[in-house]
Amino acid sequence: MNTREQQGRKPRADVQRNRAALLEAAQRHFLRDGVGTSLEAVAKEAGVGPGTLYRHFPTREALLAAVLQSRTAELVTRREDIAGIDDASTALTQWLRAMEDYLSAYSGLPEPLMAATRAQDPDNPLTVPCDELIATTDAYVRAAQRTGYVRRSVTGYDLFLASCSVAWIKGTGATGESVERLRALVAHGYREPGDRA
């Protein structure tokens, strides 16, 4: 069988089963222990060896990116809902909340995402999802800037990093009041002086 025929074949059932089991186990471990969880423990819970895990997911970032895909559908739905909001300031605020929720799904998640944006490594599987988040944020920022709600110097990347910061604080178990105060501090930093919204 030539290489082209092999590439066109559907993965074997046991390979698909192993991948699904690894993703389910990783999701549980990330929820319970954060993104720094033991990958060997993930493999053990999935009923496979570490070699099988690394064949499917060569790096922790690859595994994390695959697990995050399952949460992307919820974020896309929220983005579609936000797209129907006429008021640019409300749309931006709602998007920042949606991004916070996404970024705080697992303890420690903001760190590898911020690292991916700094490195701009095309081989890092987290780079593309981060680029998409930043581009979407930038679109909301530009719309809000046109209404005078956001200072011209602010970028989508700035508010992506701010959302990562809030998500990280949420992941430490901070109270709702602390999170709200942090959001207020961020907001007063990006609003135009004199804006009362």
Side-chain angles (χ1 to χ4, degrees):
M1 181 180 294
N2 64 36
T3 305
R4 183 175 292 174
E5 288 172 332
Q6 288 176 341
Q7 288 175 346
R9 289 176 59 191
K10 187 176 178 183
R12 292 186 337 236
D14 61 327
V15 172
Q16 291 177 319
R17 253 192 326 272
N18 287 344
R19 180 181 170 82
L22 284 164
L23 288 173
E24 288 172 14
Q27 166 98 325
R28 284 190 293 274
H29 278 258
F30 289 159
L31 282 170
R32 187 179 66 231
D33 305 319
V35 298
T37 192
S38 162
L39 296 187
E40 286 73 18
V42 170
K44 184 175 181 181
E45 184 176 320
V48 301
T52 299
L53 183 148
Y54 289 112
R55 273 194 299 280
H56 284 279
F57 307 105
T59 63
R60 180 179 299 274
E61 290 78 12
L63 178 59
L64 181 55
V67 170
L68 282 174
Q69 282 181 341
S70 66
R71 302 195 69 89
T72 300
E74 180 184 334
L75 186 63
V76 168
T77 299
R78 288 183 70 177
R79 185 174 63 198
E80 289 169 354
D81 292 341
I82 294 166
I85 298 173
D86 291 331
D87 181 66
S89 62
T90 302
L92 175 60
T93 300
Q94 291 298 313
W95 171 248
L96 294 177
R97 295 297 183 276
M99 201 164 44
E100 273 176 33
D101 292 343
Y102 178 79
L103 296 169
S104 60
Y106 310 114
S107 178
L109 178 57
E111 287 95 329
L113 295 180
M114 288 189 292
T117 65
R118 281 194 307 273
Q120 283 300 300
D121 177 2
D123 295 326
N124 185 330
L126 294 172
T127 298
V128 170
C130 287
D131 287 347
E132 291 171 358
L133 288 173
I134 292 165
T136 300
T137 306
D138 206 49
Y140 284 114
V141 167
R142 286 196 310 273
Q145 285 169 334
R146 287 192 292 272
T147 68
Y149 181 71
V150 173
R151 286 187 286 112
R152 290 287 173 194
S153 59
V154 175
T155 67
Y157 181 61
D158 297 333
L159 293 189
F160 167 79
L161 291 178
S163 293
C164 283
S165 300
V166 174
W168 183 83
I169 292 292
K170 286 171 73 173
T172 65
T175 66
E177 288 179 1
S178 295
V179 171
E180 282 304 319
R181 282 194 294 272
L182 180 58
R183 284 177 180 152
L185 286 170
V186 170
H188 290 296
Y190 71 71
R191 290 180 183 161
E192 281 286 9
D195 184 88
R196 295 188 214 172

